[in-house]
Amino acid sequence: MPVPSPVASRLKLAALFGVFLLPVALAWGMVEWRLGIPEARTAHGRLAPPLPALAAWPLAGEAAAGGDWRLVFDCPADCAAEADRWWRLHRALGREAHRVSRLRIGGAGAPLPGASAARWEAPPVWRAPGRVWLLDPDGRPVLQYERDVATDQVLADLEHLLERNPAPPRAMQDD
């Protein structure tokens, strides 16, 4: 068997180093010169609206439930269609639906199954009928949507949030 030349051995060693060092060098270059890194946000709503946590909202009713992500929507007097829209979105979450609760603020009649209802004691200045908020498990607003938002955009954002924030293990849920 012929012995490889020292030049061939060095080329193989250089190629092996290149395979491992080239990705690191490319990643460093991307971070340093901001090449190939997207700058845009992907949320469809207004991200991190400057609103107080849900506990500080002037609400009367069943708004105190905690531990879940919340879809909160502000209903005008007659909002059966809006309540049905958000109920259908909740069902579209499938097996992740148990991680989200719905809160209807305002409106008339009993809430749809799986939702709770509250009403404004004194409407705050930032209130707008038809507005929708996604709140984290601590009650902080994460996303805000205007009345004319498409349901599939809210669903996409909510699925993205649930994917990025996995549910705690079953043992921790039972405590």
Side-chain angles (χ1 to χ4, degrees):
M1 176 156 244
V3 177
S5 70
V7 174
S9 295
R10 288 185 179 150
L11 284 175
K12 287 181 186 178
L13 184 61
L16 185 64
F17 280 137
V19 165
F20 292 105
L21 293 179
L22 187 61
V24 174
L26 285 173
W28 178 80
M30 287 176 69
V31 169
E32 188 65 28
W33 294 301
R34 308 294 296 164
L35 298 172
I37 299 174
E39 296 292 330
R41 295 185 177 183
T42 59
H44 296 98
R46 181 178 178 194
L47 194 58
L51 300 176
L54 181 62
W57 290 16
L59 296 175
E62 302 177 29
D68 293 338
W69 287 85
R70 289 186 196 91
L71 177 70
V72 180
F73 54 102
D74 190 350
C75 278
D78 182 28
C79 68
E82 286 296 304
D84 184 63
R85 173 185 179 194
W86 301 123
W87 178 82
R88 290 177 189 278
L89 175 134
H90 195 195
R91 295 297 122 220
L93 289 172
R95 66 181 188 179
E96 295 291 331
H98 72 280
R99 296 181 55 203
V100 178
S101 59
R102 293 183 327 276
L103 173 63
R104 183 190 76 196
I105 302 176
L112 292 175
S116 56
R119 60 179 166 69
W120 295 112
E121 288 180 345
V125 295
W126 45 264
R127 180 212 181 209
R131 194 169 275 170
V132 179
W133 300 275
L134 286 178
L135 279 59
D136 69 7
D138 295 327
R140 295 179 304 243
V142 176
L143 286 166
Q144 173 180 299
Y145 301 95
E146 297 305 320
R147 170 179 227 131
D148 59 348
V149 66
T151 307
D152 60 334
Q153 291 179 343
V154 178
L155 179 62
D157 287 346
L158 188 52
E159 287 175 336
H160 184 75
L161 282 171
L162 294 175
E163 178 184 325
R164 297 284 182 217
N165 299 282
R170 194 53 109 172
M172 291 180 72
Q173 290 178 354
D174 294 337
D175 289 343

